[in-house]
Amino acid sequence: MDGSGIHASGMLDSLVKILGAENVMIEGIRKQDKHIPKLERNELSRYLVFVRLARRLILSIINAERIYRRSLLTHFKPDYIMARSVLYDFVPIILAKKFHSKLIIEHNSPLVYEVCHIKKEDFRIPVRFYEKMVLRKANGIYVVSECLKKYLISEYGHQDKIEVITNGYISRLFIVSHEEREKKRSNIRIKENANNKWIVIFIGSLQRYHGIDNLLDAARRIENHSNIEFWVLGDGEKREEVSKYASSHKNLKWFGNLDIQNMRDYLFAADLGIMPYHKIKQFYFSPLKMYDMIGAELPFIGLNIGQIKEVCESELNTDFLIEKADGESLSNQVLELNRNNRKYDTMKQLLSSIRNNHTWDTRAKHLIEWMKTI
């Protein structure tokens, strides 16, 4: 299985735990074009697009051959090739053919929609060609949300081989004793001089569609409440705005990217999580931040959309949801939960009752059982 980030590490950690390290061979994705600057969509000619596609195919053949030979030396023959679909990476398809293995694709974003419509980084024709091909070649496809499943079926079909397996949290990190949790909470709050503060935390990349402008507007509206402080963990395109606000206001601290253990400790130290997403047409995400907050038993508020809505309505309650994620709505809900201890305590109890349902171990068991049916 290849991939990167918390999603891959969480699922891999659980697969190795369940299947045994001797039954799992891990290969990372090689950066194929890191010495070539990313071209803007309007700078690409039709000629360059297909030259790049051919180059990626050649590099994929070379990488696949390297992995194949290494597997032969270690006498490792996989029954399944599992891979995250990464644009123009043909390695999984080649390996599945060489090994005569079943190909399982984790398709966690609609490539045409994300690359061409949201990021505007490439032409539609080659991206659609790749996405259509990799989904057709796969024996099984698992996706992170019902929204994404419906989108892919409407675009490409394959309803019989698509399974929804959402994100989760790493149990070995988050499931600790009450004493250890409180110790970590206390240490962080002392370190950040926050013992008398009520902490609202955002974790994740600082992208426009993550609603960073909404977050900053909410902080600005609550600035006169000196007992409430915002913590922002993450980095990205909105870093300038976050940095500027943090340097000119006393009620927000920006920590940049932290490793997952430090991130967990800051979640333990916080009082409320916040997910101020903008509402977009295809909300296909499975927010990792929501599952980490569930793992930390941290009450949160998030936009009433997609998987946030599904989880809250089916397993929690509507106190976790906001209809609009603008600054006014967010600030009002933050103040309400800061004042309403009864509502806040109920939210904590609900999180405690469902947290065991959302570990990566649970997701990996689901994945293994589904693969047996393919």
Side-chain angles (χ1 to χ4, degrees), residues 9-21:
S9 64
M11 181 65 89
L12 281 173
D13 189 64
S14 293
L15 285 172
V16 170
K17 186 165 114 179
I18 295 167
L19 298 173

Side-chain angles (χ1 to χ4, degrees), residues 228-257:
I228 299 177
E229 185 170 275
F230 287 77
W231 289 354
V232 178
L233 278 60
D235 206 341
E237 64 179 340
K238 289 288 186 176
R239 71 190 317 271
E240 295 273 336
E241 290 94 324
V242 175
S243 176
K244 184 177 179 180
Y245 184 95
S247 63
S248 60
H249 297 77
K250 295 181 179 179
N251 71 329
L252 186 145
K253 292 180 180 179
W254 175 46
F255 299 92
N257 286 329

Side-chain angles (χ1 to χ4, degrees), residues 74-234:
T74 57
H75 306 288
F76 188 92
K77 185 183 182 303
D79 298 308
Y80 300 92
I81 300 293
M82 297 177 58
R84 176 176 298 181
S85 56
V86 175
L87 187 58
Y88 305 142
D89 180 22
F90 299 92
V91 172
I93 298 170
I94 297 167
L95 285 176
K97 186 174 182 179
K98 276 180 168 289
F99 282 115
H100 304 287
S101 303
K102 292 177 180 177
L103 177 60
I104 308 298
I105 290 294
E106 177 219 322
H107 203 70
N108 63 0
S109 63
L111 294 178
V112 172
Y113 181 75
E114 186 171 278
V115 174
C116 302
H117 295 286
I118 295 180
K119 297 180 179 179
K120 302 187 186 305
E121 291 178 347
D122 211 327
F123 287 125
R124 177 182 173 86
I125 291 174
V127 176
R128 185 173 175 84
F129 163 78
Y130 174 81
E131 185 166 41
K132 184 176 182 179
M133 181 196 64
V134 77
L135 296 178
R136 177 171 53 84
K137 295 283 188 180
N139 299 99
I141 306 155
Y142 72 97
V143 298
V144 293
S145 68
E146 286 291 343
C147 177
L148 182 51
K149 177 180 178 178
K150 290 175 184 175
Y151 177 84
L152 292 178
I153 290 172
S154 69
E155 290 289 318
Y156 302 106
H158 306 303
Q159 58 264 32
D160 294 336
K161 59 180 181 181
I162 300 180
E163 182 78 357
V164 176
I165 302 177
T166 68
N167 286 330
Y169 69 89
I170 300 174
S171 56
R172 63 179 169 80
L173 283 175
F174 285 93
I175 299 179
V176 299
S177 68
H178 176 74
E179 292 75 16
E180 185 178 351
R181 176 195 296 267
E182 288 303 308
K183 182 180 179 181
K184 292 182 183 299
R185 175 180 170 86
S186 177
N187 288 343
I188 294 295
R189 292 178 76 87
I190 291 170
K191 176 185 174 184
E192 301 299 338
N193 193 26
N195 276 333
N196 297 317
K197 301 285 188 180
W198 202 75
I199 304 299
V200 181
I201 193 168
F202 171 91
I203 59 171
S205 58
L206 307 184
Q207 305 300 328
R208 178 187 56 80
Y209 57 85
H210 282 175
I212 304 304
D213 52 342
N214 295 333
L215 173 68
L216 297 179
D217 188 27
R220 191 175 294 109
R221 290 169 181 270
I222 299 178
E223 191 173 11
N224 62 330
H225 294 265
S226 58
N227 66 313
I228 299 177
E229 185 170 275
F230 287 77
W231 289 354
V232 178
L233 278 60

Side-chain angles (χ1 to χ4, degrees), residues 284-298:
Y284 53 84
F285 315 105
S286 177
L288 277 163
K289 55 179 70 69
M290 177 175 71
Y291 293 105
D292 286 336
M293 290 170 191
I294 291 173
E297 296 183 67
L298 176 66

